[in-house]
Amino acid sequence: MPPSTPTELKKFLLAEGFEVYRMLGDQVVLADRVRDNLIMDSWVTARPGPACDVRFVIRAQARDFPGETEQQLFARARSLAEAARERGYAEVAAKRVEVPDPGGGSQTLDVWYQVTFEKSVGAEPELASELRYALSLEKTVPVDSQR
C-alpha cells in the first residue's frame, strides 16, 4: 500500500535512498545532486494517495531555439517524453514560464516552455521504480536536437 500522507511519503522516499529537495503542498519534490555539496530541483515530484502520482517536467528553452514559435517549442518538449508516454505517462499541463533577471531587473532572461507528465502507481516498489525512471530522464531539450 502506498504512503497516504506527504509526511509518510517523505519518510518512505528517504528510506529508499532518495534525496528530498523540498515539500510543496502535498507533493514531495526530489533533489538532483549536481556535485557533492550542491543539490537542485530535479523536476520530479511524488504525491501521496490511494495511488501515488509521479510527475516530471520537461522544458524547451526559447533562447536555445531562436525564431521558433511557441507551438514548436512545446512540440520539442513533448518529443523528449515519447518513451515516457509509452511507459504510461500522460501530459497533464503545459505552460510558458518567463525567467526574470535574478538581479532584480525588469528584464526577462529566457522563456521556458514546460510540459508536465504524470503516472499513477499503486505499490511502494513500483513507486520507487517509477521515481528512479523519472529522475533518469533528460529534462531540458538539448540544443542539438532535431525535429
Side-chain angles (χ1 to χ4, degrees), residues 10 20 38 45 50 56 80 87 97 107 110 114 118 129 131 135 144:
K10 181 180 177 182
V20 172
L38 178 63
T45 63
F56 64 88
L80 204 55
R87 192 175 169 113
V97 177
Q107 182 180 5
D110 199 357
Q114 298 179 329
E118 181 179 272
S129 174
L131 287 168
L135 285 169
D144 61 357

Side-chain angles (χ1 to χ4, degrees), residues 16-144:
E16 288 291 313
F18 292 98
E19 290 188 80
V20 172
Y21 184 71
R22 66 181 169 171
M23 302 290 286
L24 191 59
D26 65 343
Q27 296 182 71
V28 179
V29 181
L30 298 182
D32 186 20
R33 184 162 290 278
V34 179
R35 297 189 305 258
D36 286 342
N37 63 345
L38 178 63
I39 63 171
M40 297 180 70
D41 186 340
S42 68
W43 299 87
V44 175
T45 63
R47 184 179 10 227
C52 288
D53 295 326
V54 174
R55 281 188 169 201
F56 64 88
V57 177
I58 292 180
R59 72 174 181 261
Q61 299 176 173
R63 93 176 154 191
D64 292 341
F65 305 100
E68 290 203 0
T69 66
E70 185 171 293
Q71 184 178 12
Q72 290 171 312
L73 291 162
F74 277 124
R76 282 186 180 274
R78 288 180 178 108
S79 70
L80 204 55
E82 286 176 15
R85 284 180 189 267
E86 292 172 10
R87 192 175 169 113
Y89 286 86
E91 181 178 328
V92 294
K95 68 179 180 177
R96 179 183 188 273
V97 177
E98 292 188 4
V99 180
D101 181 351
S106 61
Q107 182 180 5
T108 298
L109 299 181
D110 199 357
V111 179
W112 293 350
Y113 293 85
Q114 298 179 329
V115 183
T116 304
F117 294 87
E118 181 179 272
K119 179 179 181 179
S120 292
V121 296
E124 288 178 354
E126 185 184 7
L127 173 60
S129 174
E130 285 304 320
L131 287 168
R132 286 186 180 90
Y133 171 76
L135 285 169
S136 75
L137 295 171
E138 185 73 38
K139 306 296 185 316
T140 304
V141 178
V143 177
D144 61 357

